Amino acid sequence: MPEDLRMQPAALATRWSAGSIRITSRTVAAGEVSRRLGITPGQQFERDSLMSPLNPTSARRDTSVWLRRSGLPDDTGLVDDVRALVALFDGRREGLASLLDDCDLELRLGFGSEDGQGGCVLPAPLLSELGALGLDVVLDLYPPEPATADASA
């Protein structure tokens, strides 16, 4: 008699999410972004710096890059990442506005799961706060890895 699969507990899918702010510019140095915002980045790279500092023949960056991650664990939901990053700019909106003309400002959100399923709801008040910051939203979705065939089969 075949097993009734409906009676089996559902396997827990491994899910992750992450959020960051990324600011790039051809004219404003990453150090200047930090000065205007009064925020230390997690990473920054200046325009014309080597893409691979250990390889002197590597390509050079055509923009400065300023990055700040939410700092939350990967198993925290996207809404919490967005809230943490919006809160980071509380009291710093003038500095952020000073970058709008010369920089590309992005809220980058990533999501992946083993089964390819998942989602979130971004509440309207949070979206309003996000819109007031002038950040573009970039969603990076990572589909599950394809199953590999067993070589011994």
Side-chain angles (χ1 to χ4, degrees):
M1 175 178 259
E3 260 186 87
D4 186 345
L5 296 177
R6 291 174 291 174
M7 298 303 289
Q8 297 296 318
L12 294 175
T14 301
R15 294 182 179 171
W16 65 268
S17 63
S20 64
I21 301 290
R22 180 177 176 216
I23 300 173
T24 59
S25 179
R26 291 184 176 276
T27 59
V28 178
E32 176 66 11
V33 171
S34 294
R35 188 191 69 71
R36 290 189 198 181
L37 294 176
I39 299 172
T40 304
Q43 291 181 292
Q44 70 178 25
F45 307 97
E46 297 298 346
R47 184 173 184 222
D48 292 327
S49 64
L50 294 172
M51 296 289 276
S52 178
L54 299 177
N55 179 0
T57 62
S58 71
R60 294 192 173 269
R61 297 180 191 280
D62 36 336
T63 63
S64 61
V65 180
W66 186 96
L67 297 165
R68 177 70 182 253
R69 291 184 174 86
S70 71
L72 298 176
D74 286 350
D75 61 353
T76 304
L78 285 175
V79 172
D80 292 326
D81 284 303
V82 174
R83 282 191 179 117
L85 291 164
V86 166
L88 181 66
F89 292 99
D90 191 34
R92 295 178 166 95
R93 292 178 190 238
E94 188 175 303
L96 193 60
S98 77
L99 299 170
L100 288 172
D101 290 337
D102 299 312
C103 300
D104 291 322
L105 289 75
E106 298 175 337
L107 170 69
R108 300 183 64 86
L109 301 172
F111 175 83
S113 71
E114 269 182 16
D115 62 4
Q117 299 296 309
C120 73
V121 174
L122 295 173
L126 182 59
L127 287 173
S128 292
E129 288 182 58
L130 186 59
L133 294 175
L135 299 169
D136 293 330
V137 177
V138 177
L139 298 173
D140 287 324
L141 305 175
Y142 295 85
E145 295 290 323
T148 57
D150 185 357
S152 63

